[in-house]
Amino acid sequence: MAVRAMNTSIILHSAATPPLIISRRCCCHRQLTTSSRHRNRSTANLHSFICCVPYPLFTHVTVRSYSVQNLVKMVMNELASIRKRGRVRATSKLELVSTGEILEDKLKKGTLQKGLLLEFKKDSERLLLAVALKPDGKKNWMVSDQNGITTSIKPQQVTFIVPGAENFEPTEISDFVQKAHDNLDPALLEFAWNELLEKNKSVTVQELAEMIFGSAEPLETYCAHLLLSRDEVYFTVLESRGLSVYGPRTANQVDELLRRKLAKEAAEKEFEELVQFLRSAKQMPPQEKPPRSSWKAEEKTWHKIESLEAFAIDSCKNGDQKKTAGMILKAMGLAKTSSAAVNLLIDIGYFPGHVNLDLLKLNLPTDHRDEILSAAESLLSASTDLDEADRTDLTHLKVYAIDVDEADELDDALSATRLQDGRIKIWIHIADPTSLVQPGSIIDKDARRRGTSIFLPTATYPMFPERLAMEGMSLKQGKLCNAVTVSVVLHSDGSVAEYLVENSIIKPTYMLTYESATELLHLNLEEEIELKILSEAAALRLRWRREQGAIDTATLETRIKVTNPDHPEPSIKLYVENQADAAMRLVSEMMILCGEVMATFGSHNNIPLPYRGQPQSNIDTSAFAHLPEGPVRSAAIVRTMRGAEMDFRNPIRHGVLGLPGYVQFTSPIRRYMDLAAHYQVKAFLSGDSPPFSAGELEGIASSVNMTNRVVRRLTNSSLRYWILEYLRRQPKGKRYRALVLRFIKDRTAAILLMEIGLQASSWVSIGVQIGDEVDVQVEEAHPRDDVLSLMEVEAV
């Protein structure tokens, strides 16, 4: 047959052409919008029909140049002639039956036969062709699929039975599938949709095959089935008398679906570009990876990364975020798990290698809002002291501020002297943030919401804006500082003889670390006699409290300072402090003394305060007398201690501290409940009513304590992470001294790593007792998975 252009239409035919003859130029000519196609329905239908006529129609036609009208007339005449000759009698010749009818007849009626070619659902994503082999039980069938795998399938897995494909051989499936896919062209559906919409007709799979391929043979019918099953635009499934047929959608529906399809394709392209970028970022060296801010530059990209981050920290806000994250992980060939998402975000440089997942999961506030920072700057600029006229000048006292070396906020300092009668007088100076911040102010409300400053190995997140806390509130060496001072005179046995609470102004003399304070105490310098008096007072107080039933829980405490935490290998400094150390004992005893005095002060003056207590254990501490003093005994006693309690009207006994009452008062810059106690006491000192009733204090404490528990969990997990990271980096085979605290089960013991200050567990050899020291080595340390495996080694 000849090939030539005719009024923008082409009829193609050659010996090698498959059953469908369609002009690409013609299809391009018909790339109109659906609306314009609908308006020009007659012309479009003529062109469509000419472009897609089955080649048998032209076996007796010589192609010449004709007008469209004459050519259509000729084709229609030829079609009528062919039908008369019985060459296209699909309905009677092939006994067309719908897919629904086939499944009804051949599955439900149990007439599925060996050799039938069928399509079945392998899993949620795959459809396979297979040949029926034999029944498998009452309902199931054994089939051999296109991959040569024999399997048993249930009737409900069958999605299509290919009509006319009987006695099919499994070896022929692969070639059949290839031919079917070679013949697929979505443009064919558009042609059929035009014709059927014009005639308002529905169609079965076989009728569609006859219409677009000129044949309803098995291959053509399966092709039509594939086109319809994958179609999302032109056709919809109709149910009529139990038989499935397909009806054309309206032009408006197709317009909308095409719009959605284009949008979907654009989104898929955008998604694929993101996946390619993620793969590229994974391969980049650490120093070349995109900065975190770059992922937020484009909203669409940020939306997907944000979803992945939410999935990583188990905080997806909706199903869409979870779905998006799952799609990304699948496209990257990763498991759909939070740990896989975390590792991917680390690999692309979005998360640092040591990202604090707990900090992200708990969603605790870290930065201060602009309005809070602005309010803080206003307070610093005004620098108004509401209690200026009511402050006692104590600048003549030598004042020691003792804290850890990296402390940013200094809340407390100490002074002491020996009176002429030999008794010791102590001044406990507490920073006075209430001279700047008033209850109910915007800064106060923000501090209440935070509840506490957060101290992590990698960073400090202060309760107050940093500049306000450091420059306006914190005690500073050699500077005039506002304070609330609690002065106490001790009896010779360590009990309180007299006390005074007042607003003051001080000038701190020394800012000491615990290490330097301990060193000064050991030097016993005459010019630092005040420090020695403080140490003597601490010893008196400890002895007195023990006589009142106090329990000594001093143990080892670990601190870690991490420098440049976002670096792949940040610097880690580990400090192990013994709470029984002289300087630490000195400070802790003075803080406990202040708490006792404030409880007494509040009780005598009927001030609602956050009184803290802890019931005495039901177990007599003498039951632990056989255990070695120090960490072993302390650990055993702590395990029997009961939970803390609070009252807001009257003091309650604190059995562990051995006190009749206790109020935390010494950290108002770091802890909100200490600040609340300051508000109450300061109001009393100025002759005003307390700002909070007992009931209001209880409500505040409930909220703040809830936040504090979350922060405590965060600080503990963060500290443990960095301890494990520190151990992971140590030379393999390094030995650590470990103190056996107790036995957990059989020879598995709870131990305390003395150089690390970490409690862990390890198997220990027979003969080792509680209180013994053993040598252990680290077998495994995985901070991200919270895994630490220790092994006892023979002592050298």
Side-chain angles (χ1 to χ4, degrees):
M1 175 180 272
V3 181
R4 56 187 297 195
M6 300 174 295
N7 294 342
T8 73
S9 297
I10 300 176
I11 299 175
L12 302 179
H13 182 229
S14 70
T17 309
L20 173 68
I21 291 74
I22 182 166
S23 165
R24 292 297 175 191
R25 178 179 168 189
C26 176
C27 287
C28 291
H29 172 73
R30 292 174 58 249
Q31 294 298 312
L32 308 172
T33 65
T34 310
S35 298
S36 64
R37 200 161 43 234
H38 187 64
R39 289 193 300 268
N40 299 284
R41 179 71 62 201
S42 299
T43 304
N45 287 345
L46 291 172
H47 288 182
S48 300
F49 191 79
I50 293 169
C51 293
C52 305
V53 173
Y55 76 84
L57 299 179
F58 297 99
T59 53
H60 301 288
V61 178
T62 301
V63 179
R64 293 187 176 88
S65 179
Y66 295 96
S67 68
V68 171
Q69 291 79 4
N70 288 339
L71 181 58
V72 170
K73 184 177 180 180
M74 179 196 71
V75 169
M76 295 303 292
N77 290 336
E78 181 67 11
L79 178 58
S81 175
I82 291 172
R83 282 178 173 162
K84 287 179 181 179
R85 296 195 296 271
R87 299 178 78 176
V88 183
R89 283 179 284 201
T91 303
S92 58
K93 179 180 179 182
L94 297 175
E95 299 179 349
L96 293 180
V97 187
S98 75
T99 302
E101 193 174 36
I102 291 173
L103 293 178
E104 288 284 335
D105 289 346
K106 297 195 173 185
L107 289 176
K108 291 189 176 179
K109 295 179 182 179
T111 59
L112 188 61
Q113 299 174 1
K114 176 181 178 181
L116 285 181
L117 183 63
L118 57 86
E119 180 188 76
F120 74 97
K121 196 170 187 178
K122 178 70 174 177
D123 50 43
S124 61
E125 298 179 354
R126 289 185 298 167
L127 292 170
L128 298 179
L129 271 184
V131 172
L133 299 178
K134 61 180 180 179
D136 182 28
K138 292 183 178 180
K139 296 182 179 181
N140 297 353
W141 269 78
M142 297 297 297
V143 299
S144 178
D145 67 30
Q146 63 194 61
N147 298 318
I149 297 174
T150 300
T151 187
S152 177
I153 64 171
K154 299 177 180 179
Q156 55 264 40
Q157 288 179 258
V158 178
T159 55
F160 185 70
I161 295 178
V162 181
E166 300 176 358
N167 299 319
F168 211 88
E169 292 295 331
T171 55
E172 300 174 352
I173 301 177
S174 181
D175 185 54
F176 185 89
V177 170
Q178 185 60 52
K179 287 180 179 178
H181 284 87
D182 288 345
N183 278 338
L184 295 184
D185 186 341
L188 301 175
L189 278 183
E190 187 179 358
F191 152 71
W193 172 77
N194 265 306
E195 299 302 319
L196 293 169
L197 182 65
E198 179 70 20
K199 298 173 182 178
N200 193 26
K201 287 187 176 181
S202 55
V203 67
T204 65
V205 173
Q206 295 87 339
E207 289 168 347
L208 181 67
E210 183 71 46
M211 183 177 185
I212 61 178
F213 293 115
S215 169
E217 292 295 324
L219 178 61
E220 287 75 13
T221 302
Y222 183 59
C223 289
H225 162 72
L226 288 179
L227 287 170
L228 286 169
S229 63
R230 298 175 183 181
D231 172 50
E232 298 177 350
V233 177
Y234 296 105
F235 289 90
T236 184
V237 179
L238 304 176
E239 295 292 334
S240 176
R241 297 185 303 278
L243 304 179
S244 297
V245 295
Y246 294 84
R249 288 189 169 98
T250 67
N252 288 337
Q253 288 175 329
V254 169
D255 274 339
E256 175 61 19
L257 290 171
L258 282 173
R259 184 191 64 78
R260 293 182 188 179
K261 185 180 179 182
L262 290 174
K264 181 181 177 183
E265 290 172 351
E268 289 172 349
K269 180 181 178 183
E270 183 182 277
F271 181 79
E272 182 56 34
E273 289 173 351
L274 172 65
V275 170
Q276 291 301 327
F277 188 52
L278 291 174
R279 289 176 178 147
S280 175
K282 275 189 71 175
Q283 302 303 318
M284 294 178 183
Q287 65 276 12
E288 295 180 14
K289 292 185 185 294
R292 182 185 174 97
S293 58
S294 68
W295 297 99
K296 300 181 180 182
E298 292 187 15
E299 185 176 349
K300 292 180 180 179
T301 299
W302 168 234
H303 168 74
K304 294 178 179 62
I305 296 298
E306 185 181 34
S307 297
L308 190 62
E309 178 181 0
F311 185 80
I313 61 176
D314 301 320
S315 64
C316 287
K317 298 175 183 176
N318 50 55
D320 286 344
Q321 283 195 326
K322 193 174 291 186
K323 180 180 177 182
T324 299
M327 289 171 58
I328 294 173
L329 292 170
K330 181 181 177 182
M332 295 296 291
L334 301 172
K336 191 179 177 180
T337 62
S338 58
S339 59
V342 170
N343 291 331
L344 175 58
L345 290 168
I346 290 174
D347 289 343
I348 65 174
Y350 180 81
F351 277 167
H354 296 286
V355 57
N356 192 329
L357 294 176
D358 286 335
L359 180 60
L360 296 175
K361 289 178 181 180
L362 296 172
N363 198 29
L364 292 167
T366 52
D367 298 327
H368 289 84
R369 303 191 307 274
D370 289 343
E371 59 182 333
I372 303 299
L373 295 175
S374 177
E377 289 301 318
S378 297
L379 288 178
L380 287 171
S381 300
S383 190
T384 302
D385 177 14
L386 301 176
D387 303 300
E388 185 175 4
D390 189 34
R391 291 195 182 277
T392 301
D393 188 346
L394 298 178
T395 55
H396 62 283
L397 294 175
K398 183 182 286 187
V399 178
Y400 298 89
I402 305 172
D403 210 328
V404 295
D405 57 357
E406 70 269 15
D408 297 319
E409 310 154 347
L410 290 173
D411 293 276
D412 53 79
L414 304 168
S415 300
T417 190
R418 194 179 301 278
L419 301 177
Q420 290 184 350
D421 60 7
R423 294 185 301 173
I424 294 174
K425 183 174 183 178
I426 302 157
W427 289 265
I428 305 165
H429 312 288
I430 312 300
D432 187 11
T434 63
S435 65
L436 293 173
V437 179
Q438 296 301 302
S441 66
I442 185 174
I443 291 181
D444 169 71
K445 289 179 180 178
D446 186 67
R448 185 188 303 182
R449 180 174 67 93
R450 294 168 183 271
T452 180
S453 293
I454 303 175
F455 300 96
L456 303 179
T458 52
T460 296
Y461 303 105
M463 185 172 75
F464 288 111
E466 185 175 7
R467 226 170 75 81
L468 178 63
M470 293 290 292
E471 298 181 20
M473 300 175 176
S474 180
L475 303 179
K476 295 178 286 293
Q477 184 177 6
K479 303 290 185 180
L480 295 177
C481 302
N482 294 334
V484 176
T485 296
V486 178
S487 56
V488 186
V489 177
L490 297 178
H491 286 301
S492 58
D493 65 351
S495 61
V496 175
E498 54 188 85
Y499 65 86
L500 177 66
V501 180
E502 59 186 339
N503 295 310
S504 66
I505 185 167
I506 63 172
K507 190 175 183 180
T509 312
Y510 295 115
M511 312 295 273
L512 302 175
T513 64
Y514 288 112
E515 292 80 4
S516 58
T518 298
E519 186 177 349
L520 281 175
L521 286 170
H522 288 160
L523 290 174
N524 198 21
L525 300 175
E526 187 63 31
E527 55 269 30
E528 301 302 336
I529 187 65
E530 294 87 352
L531 191 61
K532 184 177 180 181
I533 293 173
L534 282 169
S535 181
E536 183 182 337
L540 285 174
R541 286 291 301 168
L542 178 60
R543 185 169 63 244
W544 179 82
R545 288 194 307 106
R546 284 177 173 172
E547 290 172 355
Q548 311 308 308
I551 299 171
D552 186 6
T553 58
T555 186
L556 301 181
E557 187 175 81
T558 306
R559 287 190 300 110
I560 280 187
K561 183 69 175 178
V562 179
T563 306
N564 197 13
D566 289 348
H567 191 274
E569 291 291 324
S571 170
I572 304 175
K573 290 184 179 179
L574 182 141
Y575 308 87
V576 179
E577 297 163 341
N578 189 341
Q579 292 176 336
D581 172 80
M584 296 198 80
R585 282 281 196 198
L586 185 160
V587 172
S588 65
E589 284 299 330
M590 295 303 102
M591 300 304 105
I592 292 171
L593 173 60
C594 180
E596 179 191 356
V597 170
M598 294 314 302
T600 304
F601 179 78
S603 177
H604 286 175
N605 295 290
N606 296 316
I607 306 173
L609 289 172
Y611 298 102
R612 293 178 178 270
Q614 192 161 9
Q616 204 85 33
S617 171
N618 294 328
I619 302 176
D620 193 326
T621 54
S622 62
F624 304 101
H626 67 286
L627 297 174
E629 279 194 86
V632 175
R633 187 180 295 180
S634 295
I637 293 174
V638 166
R639 284 171 54 81
T640 68
M641 287 167 47
R642 296 162 67 184
E645 298 176 349
M646 293 190 76
D647 195 291
F648 302 91
R649 293 172 177 82
N650 300 295
I652 51 178
R653 177 169 173 74
H654 202 301
V656 175
L657 296 180
L659 301 176
Y662 180 69
V663 172
Q664 285 187 332
F665 194 76
T666 58
S667 297
I669 305 177
R670 310 180 190 191
R671 296 189 301 236
Y672 187 83
M673 291 314 298
D674 292 42
L675 181 69
H678 273 243
Y679 285 143
Q680 302 290 89
V681 169
K682 290 290 293 293
F684 177 83
L685 292 178
S686 63
D688 297 327
S689 298
F692 304 119
S693 67
E696 289 170 330
L697 267 184
E698 186 173 3
I700 293 170
S702 176
S703 174
V704 169
N705 289 340
M706 189 180 301
T707 302
N708 288 349
R709 284 192 290 271
V710 173
V711 171
R712 190 156 50 245
R713 190 164 76 243
L714 170 65
T715 54
N716 290 340
S717 67
S718 300
L719 179 63
R720 180 173 173 84
Y721 176 95
W722 286 104
I723 290 176
L724 296 189
E725 175 63 14
Y726 176 85
L727 290 172
R728 185 188 69 82
R729 295 188 188 187
Q730 301 310 300
K732 194 166 182 65
K734 182 176 179 179
R735 293 167 174 263
Y736 300 91
R737 288 186 305 114
L739 180 66
V740 177
L741 301 177
R742 62 188 174 88
F743 284 98
I744 301 171
K745 184 179 180 181
D746 298 329
R747 301 308 301 172
T748 301
I751 61 175
L752 175 65
L753 299 180
M754 304 297 286
E755 298 99 329
I756 306 298
L758 175 70
Q759 287 195 26
S761 63
S762 175
W763 185 92
V764 295
S765 56
I766 296 174
V768 174
Q769 301 297 320
I770 293 175
D772 289 348
E773 287 191 8
V774 296
D775 285 356
V776 296
Q777 288 180 351
V778 175
E779 286 190 302
E780 285 184 285
H782 302 296
R784 183 66 66 203
D785 300 322
D786 192 24
V787 171
L788 176 63
S789 177
L790 301 172
M791 178 180 67
E792 182 190 8
V793 293
E794 190 174 335
V796 178

